[in-house]
Amino acid sequence: MTSVIDPNVSKFNPETARVYHFRYMREYRAICALWGLLTIIWCILNLVTFIQPQWIGDSPQSPGYGHLGVYANCYPDHGRGEYVCDGSPFSWDSILNNSFKATSFFVGVSALLMLITVAALLFFFCFKKTLVFYLCGIMEIISALFMFLACVIYPSGWNQPEVKTICGDMAGEYRLGECGVRWGYILAILGIFDAAFLAVLAFLLATKRAKLEMYSTTGTVTKSELNGYSGDTLSKHSIPIQPVVAVPDSQYGGTRRGDFTL
């Protein structure tokens, strides 16, 4: 039994196209849901990074006790047995120096952009999804840039007397002295890569969404096109094969192509 390749078959039949389209959309929606979940998680962590004064703090070798954030500096109150914090994001005069003020600004704007990004997820229900992905991606990349600037500027304010009280006289610009880096600073650094990754993923999802909208209008789709290849450059291995059964013709002593296909 031999098979004959029909050269005119370059597209999937509608039934096969629906199967591949269903599988593709299932995976696409799963990635979109994961992107939305990670965006919400990073938004929460960004707010925590901004609020918590746990960027640097004392260590067993430091001469003083306390810890500092982007705008707050906390010291132990032995009378009450707790830490008392000074500084407020709503009062610039309460922030120790200009470096910490700049850090507070950049981290605060980064957190605000992530809040807007989370709110923009609601736009998927009423606007074109490709535009929403691009909008969210742009805000996430700006958020990552602002967080990067904050992490770079923050150590330049370590020459403050309040910092030296905790970290010792060796503390200075980009020198931490006897203190240690706390989880807030580490989380901010990790957030740079997280926000950048989410932005790139948003742009990729927007590109894939644009292809899906194009296919929905044309009504034709191939497996290779779903995987990102153009239909004009399909190789022989990419073209779906529809086998045709050839059966011997006893009447004429030869073979002829059957009237049915597999």
Side-chain angles (χ1 to χ4, degrees):
M1 180 181 296
T2 60
S3 61
V4 179
I5 300 176
D6 190 349
N8 296 323
V9 179
S10 60
K11 298 281 185 180
F12 282 106
N13 59 63
E15 192 65 30
T16 308
R18 279 194 294 268
V19 172
Y20 279 110
H21 185 72
F22 173 77
R23 293 177 180 175
Y24 185 85
M25 287 301 300
R26 182 176 58 185
E27 297 174 359
Y28 178 82
R29 291 192 182 101
I31 297 175
C32 290
L34 179 62
W35 170 82
L37 179 61
L38 292 177
T39 298
I40 295 174
I41 291 175
W42 168 235
C43 177
I44 297 173
L45 294 179
N46 200 335
L47 289 173
V48 172
T49 301
F50 177 66
I51 295 173
Q52 288 295 322
Q54 292 288 346
W55 280 48
I56 60 174
D58 58 72
S59 66
Q61 294 78 26
S62 59
Y65 298 95
H67 47 84
L68 298 92
V70 294
Y71 59 84
N73 50 301
C74 303
Y75 305 95
D77 187 341
H78 299 288
R80 293 188 292 178
E82 61 182 14
Y83 279 89
V84 178
C85 298
D86 296 326
S88 170
F90 305 106
S91 176
W92 286 103
D93 294 334
S94 64
I95 302 177
L96 295 178
N97 53 42
N98 292 330
S99 296
F100 288 179
K101 290 178 182 179
T103 303
S104 301
F105 171 78
F106 285 121
V107 178
V109 173
S110 176
L112 179 61
L113 287 173
M114 290 307 302
L115 284 173
I116 298 174
T117 302
V118 172
L121 297 179
L122 299 175
F123 293 162
F124 282 107
F125 298 102
C126 51
F127 291 100
K128 194 174 181 180
K129 295 178 175 58
T130 302
L131 296 178
V132 178
F133 275 125
Y134 279 125
L135 174 63
C136 293
I138 291 172
M139 288 191 292
E140 286 173 338
I141 199 67
I142 296 176
S143 175
L145 177 62
F146 277 25
M147 187 63 74
F148 171 77
L149 293 175
C151 292
V152 172
I153 294 173
Y154 186 69
S156 64
W158 291 348
N159 58 350
Q160 189 72 17
E162 288 82 355
V163 179
K164 292 184 176 182
T165 301
I166 302 174
C167 304
D169 294 332
M170 294 298 294
E173 291 187 5
Y174 297 95
R175 298 195 311 272
L176 195 51
E178 301 296 333
C179 286
V181 175
R182 295 289 180 90
W183 58 267
Y185 201 179
I186 297 175
L187 185 60
I189 296 174
L190 294 177
I192 299 172
F193 301 97
D194 187 18
F197 169 75
L198 291 174
V200 173
L201 184 57
F203 293 141
L204 290 176
L205 292 173
T207 303
K208 294 295 183 180
R209 185 71 197 184
K211 291 183 179 181
L212 290 175
E213 292 173 353
M214 178 184 66
Y215 292 141
S216 64
T217 57
T218 60
T220 59
V221 63
T222 65
K223 181 180 179 182
S224 296
E225 287 171 339
L226 284 175
N227 290 330
Y229 299 97
S230 171
D232 298 331
T233 60
L234 289 176
S235 64
K236 291 183 179 180
H237 297 287
S238 300
I239 297 175
I241 298 175
Q242 184 176 8
V244 180
V245 178
V247 298
D249 190 345
S250 58
Q251 181 179 356
Y252 298 100
T255 60
R256 65 181 179 87
R257 197 174 78 173
D259 295 332
F260 62 93
T261 58
L262 294 179

